[in-house]
Structures are given as structure tokens and as C-alpha cells.
Amino acid sequence: MTKKPTEDGRLIQSVEKACQIVRALRELDGAGVTEIADQVNMSKGSAHTYLKTLQRNNIVTEIDGRYQLGLFLLELGEYVKHQNKAWQFAQEPLEEMAAETGELARLIVREQGYGVYLAKATGEHAIETTIRPGQREYLHYTSQGKAILAHMSEAEVRKVIDTHGLPKRTEKTITESAELFEELEEIRERGIAFSQSERTRGLRCVAAPIHAPNDTVVAAIGVCGPTSRMRGDRFREELPTLVRDKANVIEVNMQMDAD
């Protein structure tokens, strides 16, 4: 098989193309052979062969010439989620945090320089959100993401910036590395991260990191709500204390499970 060099070694091009097709089907919300061929820049014949191979392995399904992602991916996703230790021990703390605050509580895990939403719990007054489990976010513009970055080494953070950049989401998004490093230092000192309309206008969030038993930061939990309710002592004192306590419970349970 043809391979091409990358910074991390060598990649198998056929596997790379198959992954591109899977992503294209998600972006296009299903597609025919011609659409896929155009999207991933290959011939219709090759696209058809790839799609049939993916179909044979239950990765995609086909109805009347239109291909969509298959439910086997859901099975894989559920397996991956349940294997994650942070997810296993965050369920009860998230539900408690949502109930006690009335807001939206979320768990984000770290993966390949992104933050991946893995679980959420909604309180009585929680905002509506379109964010789905498995959705990836840049780390620099969410409170959970910044809580994770703050407890990574400087070299790791710089690699994330070099790889993904610091894209602007709102007028309050941090887009300069010097400003980001300054805030990460503040987060380490207080043990809590804040975001103020940096991803979504009018939304404020408070988050704390979650460390694995080997002290590597692997996730973060946080609570989010509208600026009208996330202000004053509640935003700066009450919620940070609650979020830190829940993160500590998760870390302790992870440690006991590892012993």
C-alpha cells in the first residue's frame, strides 16, 4: 500500500481516504457516490469501492443510492465512552451539580489537543444547548478547556497552539498566545477556570480540572449559565467552590479504583 510521510511517521493512504469519507458523510448528512467523490477528490469508481467496503464492515449504510453513517459507530462510541474513567465517576457529581445550581453541568475530556464533550446534566433552569456528546471543541475558549490547558506542560500547550491555532469564536475569545499563557498561570494559582462569552455570547462558565491517578490532567467539569445568573459572589465564589469539590470527588474515586 502507498504511504506518505508525516511529522508523526507514516500514514496508510487508503485508511486516510476511508476516514475522509466517514467525515464527509457526517458533514454532508449523507451523500451519493458523486457527492462523496467530489468532496474527497477521488474518482467515482474509487469512491464507490470505498463506500461498498465500509458498508460491508457496517461503517456506512445505503438506501436508494444514498450512503449514511451506520449505527455500528454508535456501538463503538458507547463502548469508548463507558471505558473512560472520568466519565464513569462523573455521572453522579454532574447530576448533583446540575441539581444544586439549576444550571447546565458538563464534562469535557482531553484528546489530541481538543476537548471532547462526554456528558452533561441539566438543572431546572439550564440553558438549551445543541452541543452533543462526542463533539470536539478548541481548548482555549471554554472554561473546561482552559482548565485542562492550565495543567498541561508549556511544551504541550505550545504544541496545541501550533497544531490547532487560537481561532476566534467571539470578540472575547483569546487569540494571542501571550495572553493565553498569562491566564493559564492565573488558573493554576486559583485552581479554577472561568470563561466569559468566549465561545458563546452571553454565556459564562466555571470549571475545574480532573487529574488521573498519575497526576496527568485528563478532563474537566464545569457549570454554565447566562450572564444574568452567573455574576457576583455566585460566579466568583460559590460556584468555584462547588465545582472544585465535585472535581475532587471524581479524582478520589478514580484513585481508589486504581489502587
Side-chain angles (χ1 to χ4, degrees):
M1 291 183 179
T2 304
K3 299 179 181 181
K4 62 180 180 180
T6 69
E7 292 180 359
D8 299 318
R10 300 175 68 85
L11 297 181
I12 301 173
Q13 284 189 318
S14 58
V15 176
E16 180 84 359
K17 278 293 185 183
C19 290
Q20 289 175 10
I21 290 172
V22 169
R23 292 191 182 95
L25 285 170
R26 178 181 180 277
E27 293 169 3
L28 297 171
D29 197 21
V33 173
T34 300
E35 292 174 274
I36 289 297
D38 291 342
Q39 186 79 359
V40 300
N41 192 29
M42 63 166 52
S43 70
K44 289 173 61 177
S46 294
H48 183 263
T49 300
Y50 273 94
L51 286 164
K52 285 301 181 183
T53 304
L54 291 169
Q55 182 182 5
R56 181 181 177 85
N57 287 278
N58 301 312
I59 304 299
V60 306
T61 61
E62 182 264 329
I63 300 177
D64 296 330
R66 188 171 182 83
Y67 292 86
Q68 293 185 333
L69 298 179
L71 291 176
F72 178 59
L73 295 174
L74 176 62
E75 179 185 340
L76 292 179
E78 286 295 306
Y79 169 79
V80 172
K81 182 175 71 176
H82 283 78
Q83 289 295 105
N84 186 278
K85 293 296 182 181
W87 180 87
Q88 290 176 23
F89 294 112
Q91 300 308 297
E92 187 173 336
L94 279 175
E95 292 289 346
E96 292 173 349
M97 192 158 62
E100 292 175 35
T101 64
E103 306 290 357
L104 174 66
R106 300 189 294 199
L107 171 74
I108 286 182
V109 298
R110 166 189 173 185
E111 184 178 84
Q112 296 185 350
Y114 289 103
V116 182
Y117 289 100
L118 212 56
K120 68 177 181 179
T122 54
E124 183 180 1
H125 305 294
I127 58 169
E128 296 290 334
T129 177
T130 58
I131 293 174
R132 303 177 302 276
Q135 184 171 325
R136 291 172 177 264
E137 291 280 11
Y138 293 104
L139 291 171
H140 69 287
Y141 58 46
T142 67
S143 60
Q144 292 101 326
K146 290 190 290 183
I148 291 171
L149 285 173
H151 294 83
M152 293 166 57
S153 70
E154 180 177 339
E156 289 176 311
V157 176
R158 292 196 181 279
K159 183 177 181 181
V160 169
I161 295 173
D162 290 343
T163 302
H164 304 299
L166 297 173
K168 183 176 182 178
R169 177 83 182 199
T170 73
E171 65 277 3
K172 293 192 176 181
T173 303
I174 295 174
T175 58
E176 298 295 332
S177 59
E179 183 181 355
L180 178 62
F181 277 108
E182 184 177 335
E183 179 159 350
L184 296 182
E185 179 61 32
E186 294 174 359
I187 292 170
R188 281 191 293 275
E189 291 176 359
R190 63 178 175 246
I192 207 80
F194 298 102
S195 65
Q196 304 186 60
S197 298
E198 294 162 51
R199 181 195 182 278
T200 305
R201 292 180 182 86
L203 188 70
R204 284 181 170 177
C205 304
V206 181
I210 296 171
H211 292 83
N214 65 1
D215 204 37
T216 301
V217 62
V218 293
I221 60 167
V223 59
C224 302
T227 302
S228 58
R229 295 199 298 261
M230 305 285 279
R231 57 187 180 183
D233 289 343
R234 183 176 193 248
F235 183 57
R236 291 292 176 182
E237 300 294 338
E238 296 172 16
L239 291 177
T241 298
L242 177 63
V243 172
R244 273 192 297 258
D245 288 347
K246 300 304 182 185
N248 178 246
V249 169
I250 296 169
E251 289 179 339
V252 169
N253 284 327
M254 289 173 66
Q255 181 64 62
M256 292 178 67
D257 180 70
D259 289 344

